[in-house]
Amino acid sequence: MSVSAQRLVEELQIFDVECEAALTEKLVELCLLYGQNEEGMVAELIAFCTRTGKVGLTPDILNSFEHECLSKKGQSARDGGHAGARDIVSIQELIEVEEEEESLLDSYTTPSKGSQKRAITTPETPLTKRTVSTRSPHQLLSPSSFSPSATPSQKYSSRNNRGEVVTSFGSAQGVSWSGRGGAGNLSLKVLGGPESLTRSYKSMFQKLPDIRDVLTCKIEELGCELKEHYKIEAFAPVLAPAQEPITLLGQIGCDTNGKLNSKSVILEGDREYSSGAQIPVDLSELKEYSLFPGQVVIMEGINTTGRKFIATKLYEFEQNMVLVACGPYTTSDSITYDPLLDLITIINRDLPDVCILLGPFLDAKHEQVESCLLTSPFEDIFKQCLRTIIEGTRSSGSRLVFVPSVRDVHREPVYPQPPFSYSDLLRDDRKRVQFVSEPCSLAVNGVILGLTSTDLLFHMGAEEISSTSGPSDRLSRILKHILTQRSYYPLYPPQEDMAIDYENFYTYAQLPVTPDVFIIPSELKYFVKDVLGCICVNPGRLTKGQVGGTFGRLFLRRQRAADGEGRRSPCMAAQVVRI
C-alpha cells in the first residue's frame, strides 16, 4: 500500500489545516501502520480534533490521536478479526445459532400460518432485485408486516356477496365500470373560497374572540340575505322590552350542556343589534319548527319583560315551488283554450312562486291555423291569451315567465327568439310578469334554470347514432351531449324546419354555465332525470292532440350565492302531473 505525503497535505488544506513536513511524515507512517488511505486518515484526524476541541496540528495532538483513536480501533479489529477471514464452517455455525434464537422467540408468540423467519442473506446468497421488486400490494399490506401474530378474518374470507351492487342511482344498468387509469386530459380542481386548504397549520391556538368573530360573520351574512328576502326594515335588540311584536336576528343555542329541547332554546343575538346578548325563547306559540344548535334564524314575537322572548313566527330559507307548462294550450280540434283555463285554476289553487310558461301559445301546427279557419288576426288571439293568463293569476301573486317558441304563429320562426312584446301590461303586473328569450338561462333565487321550448330531444334523437356494449338510455345520452356541448342547440345542420341565425345563435343560444335545472319540453315521453348533476325535466306538453297532456312542478331550495361546497342539486322534488 502506497501513501502520498502530497495527497495528505491536500486533504488537510481542504479543512484549512497547515502541516509541517515532520508531521506529514508521521501521518504517512500512521497510514501504513493502521491500513488507512490519505482521505480516511485525514477524516479521522479532523473528527478527533473536533470532538476533543483541539486546534491546529502538533506532535502532541498526533500522539493523542494515535493513542485514543487509532490504537483502539486496531485492537478492536485484532480481537474481532476480519469478516473475510471466517471460513464456511464458521459462517454456517452463525446461521444455525441465529435460527435457534428465532425458534426460541417463536415459542413466546401465537402460532400463525407459514414461517415468520426472515430471509438469510450472505455474500454467497444475496437478496436479488427480483425478490424485492415483485412484491404485490397484498404482500406490502400483509398482516405480518405490522403484527406477526395476525390471522386472517374467517368471516370476511368466507363472504359470498362479493361484487354485489347494493344500491344504485340513475341509469347504471349496462354501464362498463372501467376507466382509463388516469390517462388522457384529466383536470382536478379543489373548490374552496376564498382559497383551498393546501398546507398544515397550528391548531389549538385559536382565541375566543376569533371564534366569536367567525360565528358573528355567519349570523350577519345569513341575516342580511333573510332580511333582504323578507323585506324586513330592521332588527330589534334581544334584551329590549317591547309590547308590540318585534323581529330578532340570532343564532339558536342551548341553555345547558345537555341536548336541545323545546324548553332549553335560547337565541344569541348578533353583534350589531344585540351585542351578542342571549335570551330564552318560548316556542309554545309556533305550530311548526325545526331547530338545531348554531342555526341562524329570524324570529318574530313578543318580549314584554326583556327576559323571555315568545316566538310567534319563524323566518327560514324557504323552498320555492316552480310550475312549468309548455304549449300548445289548446287541443288540436278546438281553439277554446280549455286546458289553459284548467291550468290557471291549478295556479290559483297551488299558489306556485314562479310559473314558467313556454310556447307555442298559438301553435302554427294547429288544424284551424293551417286551414285558415280563424277569423281574428293571430296577434289579437295571442294577446287575448296573454291577458287571460295575467289577469286570471293576479290573485295568486305568482311570478310569470313567458318563453316564446318558433312555433308561435304570430312570430317570425327564427331561432333564437327574442322576448314577447306586450304593451298592454298594467303597472301593477309589471313586477310579476317577465318576458324572456328562447332559449334562456334564468336564475331563480340563485338556482340556475335552463329554458328552451324547442324540441331538441326529438331533433337530436332522429340524427344521433350510437354503439354501446349494453343497454343504454338514449335520452340521457342526448342530454349529456347538450350539457357538454354547452349549447342549447348543438345539432348541425339543424332540422329542416329550424331557421337559425348563427350570428345571434353564437351570442344568445349558448349555455354560459351548466344549469342546476334544465327544462326541455318534448313530444317524447315526459321524464325527470339527473344528468351530470343537472336535473333535466321534460314536462311534456299541456295538450297531446285532442286530449290533455302534462305539466311539471318542482320544489327548489334557495342556495347561498357564496356557497363554498361542491355542486349540490337544489331541486328537492319534482313531479310531472296530468292536466
Side-chain angles (χ1 to χ4, degrees):
M1 178 181 180
S2 61
V3 179
S4 169
Q6 180 64 30
R7 179 68 185 279
L8 282 170
V9 173
E10 293 175 355
E11 291 292 333
L12 288 170
Q13 287 177 350
I14 295 176
F15 299 96
D16 198 20
V17 176
E18 298 293 336
C19 185
E20 300 177 357
L23 296 178
T24 303
E25 293 178 0
K26 177 67 174 176
L27 284 174
V28 172
E29 293 177 3
L30 293 176
C31 288
L32 294 173
L33 179 62
Y34 294 101
Q36 292 271 21
N37 57 20
E38 299 89 342
E39 183 178 0
M41 179 58 70
V42 172
E44 293 279 0
L45 177 60
I46 296 300
F48 172 77
C49 294
T50 302
R51 185 172 64 252
T52 57
K54 300 182 183 299
V55 181
L57 192 58
T58 64
D60 293 338
I61 292 176
L62 279 183
N63 291 333
S64 299
F65 171 61
E66 181 182 7
H67 176 71
E68 298 179 16
C69 186
L70 296 179
S71 61
K72 290 182 179 180
K73 287 190 174 183
Q75 182 65 32
S76 176
R78 285 191 293 272
D79 293 343
H82 296 286
R86 297 185 182 273
D87 56 14
I88 190 68
V89 177
S90 61
I91 293 175
Q92 184 64 33
E93 289 176 352
L94 289 175
I95 294 174
E96 292 175 357
V97 170
E98 186 172 348
E99 290 179 349
E100 291 177 0
E101 292 176 352
E102 290 188 352
S103 299
L104 182 62
L105 290 173
D106 290 341
S107 65
Y108 290 96
T109 60
T110 303
S112 59
K113 296 181 179 180
S115 175
Q116 301 292 336
K117 298 179 183 178
R118 67 176 186 268
I120 304 300
T121 59
T122 64
E124 289 79 12
T125 59
L127 186 64
T128 62
K129 293 182 178 180
R130 179 179 297 274
T131 305
V132 176
S133 61
T134 56
R135 296 175 68 185
S136 69
H138 292 282
Q139 293 173 328
L140 292 174
L141 198 61
S142 63
S144 60
S145 64
F146 44 81
S147 177
S149 62
T151 57
S153 170
Q154 296 297 324
K155 190 173 182 180
Y156 175 78
S157 301
S158 60
R159 68 193 189 281
N160 55 8
N161 56 354
R162 304 185 186 189
E164 177 185 351
V165 179
V166 295
T167 186
S168 60
F169 174 78
S171 302
Q173 299 297 327
V175 176
S176 177
W177 292 98
S178 60
R180 295 179 294 173
N185 187 13
L186 183 66
S187 175
L188 298 178
K189 183 179 180 181
V190 179
L191 298 179
E195 58 180 287
S196 57
L197 185 62
T198 57
R199 59 180 181 271
S200 61
Y201 58 91
K202 294 182 179 179
S203 60
M204 305 303 292
F205 286 94
Q206 53 187 348
K207 301 177 182 178
L208 291 178
D210 296 336
I211 300 175
R212 178 69 265 171
D213 289 342
V214 172
L215 297 177
T216 300
C217 288
K218 183 184 72 170
I219 296 174
E220 292 176 351
E221 289 176 1
L222 290 177
C224 183
E225 292 189 26
L226 286 168
K227 180 181 178 182
E228 181 181 354
H229 177 69
Y230 288 106
K231 303 295 187 294
I232 298 173
E233 294 183 0
F235 299 115
V238 297
L239 297 181
Q243 304 302 319
E244 299 294 330
I246 58 174
T247 305
L248 303 183
L249 167 66
Q251 177 178 272
I252 297 296
C254 184
D255 62 0
T256 64
N257 291 328
K259 183 178 175 62
L260 185 70
N261 57 65
S262 60
K263 304 298 182 181
S264 65
V265 175
I266 61 173
L267 185 68
E268 184 176 352
D270 68 323
R271 184 164 50 186
E272 179 181 357
Y273 296 97
S274 304
S275 301
Q278 299 176 350
I279 187 171
V281 180
D282 183 351
L283 303 175
S284 59
E285 297 296 325
L286 290 177
K287 295 181 179 179
E288 295 181 352
Y289 59 85
S290 175
L291 303 173
F292 62 88
Q295 181 179 1
V296 177
V297 296
I298 294 177
M299 286 185 170
E300 183 180 296
I302 302 174
N303 185 14
T304 56
T305 63
R307 289 179 293 182
K308 192 168 188 178
F309 181 75
I310 302 175
T312 58
K313 185 176 181 180
L314 180 64
Y315 295 89
E316 297 180 283
F317 284 111
E318 58 187 17
Q319 295 182 150
N320 297 119
M321 179 184 173
V322 178
L323 185 145
V324 182
C326 180
Y329 293 92
T330 64
T331 56
S332 60
D333 60 346
S334 174
I335 201 68
T336 58
Y337 284 96
D338 287 339
L340 179 60
L341 297 176
D342 292 337
L343 182 66
I344 292 174
T345 302
I346 293 173
I347 293 173
N348 292 325
R349 181 195 67 191
D350 296 339
L351 305 178
D353 300 286
V354 181
C355 296
I356 300 176
L357 305 176
L358 302 100
F361 292 88
L362 180 57
D363 192 5
K365 296 183 178 181
H366 193 278
E367 293 178 2
Q368 296 188 28
V369 173
E370 291 181 332
S371 302
C372 299
L373 299 178
L374 300 180
T375 58
S376 299
F378 297 148
E379 183 76 20
D380 293 345
I381 297 175
F382 167 72
K383 288 183 177 181
Q384 181 62 34
C385 177
L386 282 189
R387 187 179 301 112
T388 302
I389 297 172
I390 295 171
E391 294 180 1
T393 60
R394 188 173 292 155
S395 61
S396 69
S398 301
R399 296 286 296 271
L400 302 178
V401 179
F402 292 92
V403 184
S405 168
V406 293
R407 285 170 53 179
D408 280 305
V409 69
H410 69 286
R411 307 286 303 274
E412 292 184 3
V414 180
Y415 185 91
Q417 284 269 309
F420 291 133
S421 59
Y422 184 63
S423 58
D424 298 336
L425 194 63
L426 299 179
R427 179 176 298 180
D428 294 337
D429 293 325
R430 291 176 183 174
K431 293 183 179 180
R432 71 180 192 95
V433 177
Q434 187 169 357
F435 299 104
V436 299
S437 63
E438 153 59 9
C440 170
S441 296
L442 182 69
V444 178
N445 273 353
V447 179
I448 307 301
L449 274 65
L451 308 175
T452 180
S453 59
T454 302
D455 195 347
L456 181 56
L457 291 174
F458 191 87
H459 294 183
M460 292 189 65
E463 302 294 337
E464 184 234 19
I465 61 172
S466 65
S467 175
T468 59
S469 58
S472 178
D473 184 0
R474 182 167 64 101
L475 295 178
S476 294
R477 288 200 314 267
I478 296 174
L479 291 167
K480 183 178 178 181
H481 287 317
I482 298 171
L483 296 175
T484 55
Q485 293 292 307
R486 303 179 183 178
S487 171
Y488 280 105
Y489 199 95
L491 182 64
Y492 184 84
Q495 200 179 51
E496 293 181 356
D497 59 354
M498 283 289 293
I500 297 179
D501 186 321
Y502 278 96
E503 184 176 353
N504 288 295
F505 169 86
Y506 183 77
T507 305
Y508 302 112
Q510 306 304 306
L511 274 168
V513 296
T514 301
D516 297 305
V517 180
F518 191 29
I519 307 298
I520 181 167
S522 174
E523 299 285 353
L524 303 177
K525 189 176 180 179
Y526 45 82
F527 61 79
V528 179
K529 296 178 179 291
D530 187 328
V531 179
L532 302 178
C534 173
I535 304 302
C536 301
V537 181
N538 171 18
R541 299 191 181 276
L542 198 65
T543 60
K544 299 282 287 185
Q546 298 182 11
V547 298
T550 56
F551 65 94
R553 56 190 180 193
L554 305 91
F555 268 119
L556 305 179
R557 173 82 70 178
R558 185 170 184 260
Q559 287 185 328
R560 294 177 57 198
D563 197 349
E565 300 179 1
R567 185 177 179 86
R568 184 176 60 182
S569 174
C571 185
M572 308 303 296
Q575 289 182 335
V576 177
V577 185
R578 293 192 182 277
I579 187 66

